[in-house]
Amino acid sequence: MFNTGKELLNLCEEKNLKIYELVIEKEHTLSGLSYDEIKSKMKNTLEVMKNSATQALDKEIISVSGLTGGNSKKVESYKNNKTFAGPFINGAMAKAFSTSEVNASMGKICASPTAGASGILPSALLSAQEKMDLTDEILVNALFTAAGIGEIIAKNATVSGAEGGCQAECGVAAAMAAGALVEISDGSPSQALNAAGFALTNIMGLVCDPIAGLVEYPCNLRNASGVVNAFISADLALANVDALIPFDEVVEAMYKVGKALPESLRETALGGLAATPTGKELEKKVIK
Amino acid sequence: MKNYSSFDVLGPIMVGPSSSHTAGAARLGKIASEIAGQGFYKVEFYLHGSFAKTYKGHGTNKALVAGILGFEPDDERLRDSFDIAKSKSIDYEFIESDLGYVHPNTVKLVFKYLNNDDFYVIGSSIGGGSIVIININGIEIEFTGSYPTIIVKYKDKKGMISNITSIIADAEVNIASMKVTRDRDDATMICEMDSQIDEDTINNISNIEDLSYIRFINTKRS
């Protein structure tokens, strides 16, 4: 068992295991389920993720409130234009939007780690699969790596926007995805944790300020930018960019920053974009 | 430190948009209807706090109705629950209200029956799709629906607890937690168990004398 990134790395080294192998072993010990059962359960999770990340690519899906929708399709059809970020990054943003739109329209998603941030991990994995021609088994393994990183953050900090702001939702989702991407690229356990730490570092302090208190805007934008954060964080770690602050301390800092955020910036719709004149106007329109 | 399952972190698999306002609401509706019992023709939902403020945009209303129809939080029929309720001639009403000093995501569900008294259940959605039931017909309780649960009401007298628990023990089922409260002569016992109990065992418990109410909540956590 492990409670911190350091313990996780020590165990990986001691047992000569990858992060995902350690996480599956832990799941087996905790649940009593067989390795096959655990993997097939995660395969089911992957299927839900694949569906949510692709449903809105060619179909305009509008939210229950009517506030948002249709952006996934827009970005997907734009991605092959003369773009700055290229078809890969634009395609990944379209997939992140897709899950956000499915979520906001009462479709089925997997909270990863929350519903509000559920677009990031599916898009990261699916985009990587398309680009690198990966098997589902590799993605399932990467999901266990993501879960292990998410678990450490949940234990030592928070994954709730009401407690820690958006950094605790989209930030953690990006950290989990970054670690998973490193696993996919056969990076080392310490590179995976560095990637997760970079993702959190890049958006530390990000506030949770949803218009009308709904899981829609700017959540959808932050899912799109969150998956980009995951990709660049994974690349930075794989390039061995110096991680001066260890992962566990980054997590602790994120938690403290979250605690220091005023309540108005923690999912109350009282601050940030939600409190702008236009934000309030939109709130009046959707909350009738 | 609490150990999380990988499927706590990557989960629940649910219908969006909000684990607390949608998935939790569906679970509340489902468990409340199991406690109240079938046969209701109408349910009134008294919405408190954030539930009252954002229920339309979060689909809390549709999720609650789906719950009383018996749907799980990952059932994609959630968004069509109003139509399904109508086809089953079940009426519903949402009333924004103040339920006092309770969790911001709290709802009181009042079940209406033709030939029986109203039955009410109050519960809160406490985050990540988890819920807690805090009141049944005025009796303050606390149970989370994470385990198979049996709720019984009986005239308080000596030996009742051991009568009930020995039947559960005979069925080779372990009790995870147990709470007994008393209001005048009526006692309510809530017993959370590590595993399911079969129908025979429930029948054996219902045959105990002076038992006025028994419900078995067969919860599954996805």
Side-chain angles (χ1 to χ4, degrees):
Chain A
M1 300 291 165
F2 51 87
N3 293 317
T4 64
K6 198 173 175 197
E7 286 171 18
L8 178 71
L9 290 184
N10 287 343
L11 278 172
C12 283
E13 196 172 340
E14 211 174 278
K15 301 188 167 192
N16 196 22
L17 292 177
K18 308 284 272 179
I19 294 177
Y20 77 85
E21 292 172 314
L22 206 63
V23 174
I24 296 174
E25 190 183 292
K26 191 211 71 165
E27 193 68 30
H28 166 71
T29 311
L30 272 183
S31 69
L33 296 175
S34 73
Y35 282 59
D36 281 349
E37 285 170 321
I38 293 166
K39 282 193 173 187
S40 107
K41 213 172 155 188
M42 195 59 99
K43 179 82 188 353
N44 179 46
T45 300
L46 178 65
E47 286 308 316
V48 172
M49 289 183 167
K50 281 188 176 184
N51 282 332
S52 70
T54 51
Q55 265 179 53
L57 292 177
D58 54 3
K59 186 174 72 190
E60 199 170 74
I61 295 181
I62 306 296
S63 68
V64 176
S65 72
L67 184 65
T68 58
N71 292 308
S72 175
K73 192 173 171 226
K74 282 180 197 162
V75 180
E76 179 69 10
S77 48
Y78 163 81
K79 75 177 185 189
N80 290 318
N81 293 2
K82 209 169 163 189
T83 67
F84 289 108
F88 176 72
I89 288 294
N90 279 291
M93 291 196 293
K95 290 184 188 73
F97 269 126
S98 176
T99 298
S100 292
E101 287 166 11
V102 167
N103 182 52
S105 68
M106 297 190 82
K108 197 197 264 194
I109 56 98
C110 175
S112 338
T114 64
S118 60
I120 295 170
L121 190 55
S123 168
L125 294 183
L126 204 51
S127 303
Q129 183 172 45
E130 281 175 13
K131 188 183 175 85
M132 299 178 166
D133 213 11
L134 306 166
T135 62
D136 279 354
E137 198 192 343
I138 290 177
L139 299 197
V140 166
N141 291 343
L143 280 174
F144 285 106
T145 303
I149 289 168
E151 174 181 342
I152 293 171
I153 301 173
K155 275 179 172 174
N156 295 285
T158 174
V159 298
S160 146
E163 229 185 316
C166 191
Q167 56 163 7
E169 295 208 19
C170 287
V172 173
M176 290 161 62
L181 290 169
V182 169
E183 190 80 88
I184 283 171
S185 295
D186 213 19
S188 68
S190 76
Q191 282 175 323
L193 287 195
N194 285 350
F198 287 152
L200 287 176
T201 302
N202 290 343
I203 50 79
M204 190 165 293
L206 189 62
V207 303
C208 179
D209 52 351
I211 305 290
L214 302 177
V215 190
E216 294 196 42
Y217 194 97
C219 320
N220 56 356
L221 284 174
R222 291 181 185 150
N223 274 269
S225 58
V227 71
V228 180
N229 183 15
F231 279 116
I232 61 167
S233 297
D235 273 337
L236 293 171
L238 290 164
N240 288 319
V241 166
D242 296 332
L244 293 186
I245 312 297
F247 172 74
D248 289 324
E249 291 181 46
V250 175
V251 171
E252 193 187 347
M254 183 276 274
Y255 190 41
K256 285 184 174 161
V257 168
K259 290 264 180 211
L261 288 174
E263 208 185 320
S264 64
L265 299 175
R266 285 185 280 119
E267 214 179 324
T268 52
L270 296 172
L273 295 180
T276 58
T278 305
K280 286 198 226 158
E281 203 56 46
L282 289 169
E283 176 169 13
K284 264 190 228 151
K285 243 186 243 172
V286 294
I287 308 276
K288 277 177 298 218
Chain B
M1 246 179 227
K2 182 197 165 197
N3 273 310
Y4 289 79
S5 157
S6 294
F7 302 99
D8 293 333
V9 182
L10 294 181
I13 290 171
M14 54 170 268
V15 164
S18 160
S19 56
S20 52
H21 288 73
T22 319
R27 284 197 85 214
L28 275 173
K30 183 163 192 279
I31 290 176
S33 72
E34 283 170 5
I35 296 169
Q38 292 303 307
F40 47 85
Y41 69 91
K42 183 182 180 182
V43 182
E44 290 167 355
F45 299 95
Y46 292 83
L47 302 165
H48 172 87
S50 175
F51 265 12
K53 201 181 155 228
T54 67
Y55 72 98
K56 282 180 190 160
H58 277 131
T60 308
N61 46 0
K62 291 180 180 170
L64 284 166
V65 170
I68 60 152
L69 295 173
F71 299 167
E72 296 286 344
D74 66 348
D75 193 319
E76 286 181 281
R77 290 175 294 176
L78 240 72
R79 67 173 103 176
D80 304 319
S81 66
F82 287 179
D83 290 339
I84 298 169
K86 272 176 204 137
S87 74
K88 295 188 170 184
S89 301
I90 293 173
D91 198 8
Y92 50 83
E93 187 182 355
F94 301 95
I95 302 136
E96 292 168 34
S97 60
D98 184 350
L99 298 175
Y101 190 72
V102 290
H103 188 281
N105 294 330
T106 297
V107 57
K108 176 180 178 181
L109 304 94
V110 181
F111 293 85
K112 305 260 181 196
Y113 299 86
L114 277 178
N115 301 315
N116 266 317
D117 292 344
D118 290 358
F119 194 110
Y120 77 82
V121 177
I122 304 176
S124 308
S125 176
I126 53 175
S130 300
I131 60 128
V132 56
I133 300 289
I134 58 171
N135 195 309
I136 299 174
N137 280 336
I139 299 161
E140 287 187 12
I141 54 151
E142 195 181 312
F143 93 95
T144 62
S146 305
Y147 297 89
T149 303
I150 193 161
I151 305 172
V152 282
K153 245 176 102 169
Y154 50 84
K155 284 262 168 287
D156 192 26
K157 61 178 186 189
K158 261 181 282 185
M160 282 301 261
I161 295 174
S162 74
N163 284 346
I164 297 165
T165 53
S166 63
I167 293 174
I168 296 172
D170 286 345
E172 304 276 326
V173 169
N174 189 46
I175 292 174
S177 82
M178 191 172 87
K179 195 177 169 197
V180 182
T181 53
R182 192 172 60 179
D183 180 24
R184 282 187 294 261
D185 295 337
D186 290 321
T188 303
M189 175 170 143
I190 296 163
C191 205
E192 296 181 309
M193 293 162 296
D194 284 337
S195 50
Q196 313 286 356
I197 51 174
D198 56 26
E199 215 156 298
D200 285 349
T201 311
I202 297 168
N203 287 337
N204 288 343
I205 297 173
S206 2
N207 287 337
I208 297 174
E209 216 176 308
D210 288 331
L211 216 74
S212 59
Y213 165 99
I214 175 165
R215 285 287 185 279
F216 177 59
I217 317 297
N218 184 4
T219 51
K220 89 159 204 225
R221 286 224 63 169
S222 49

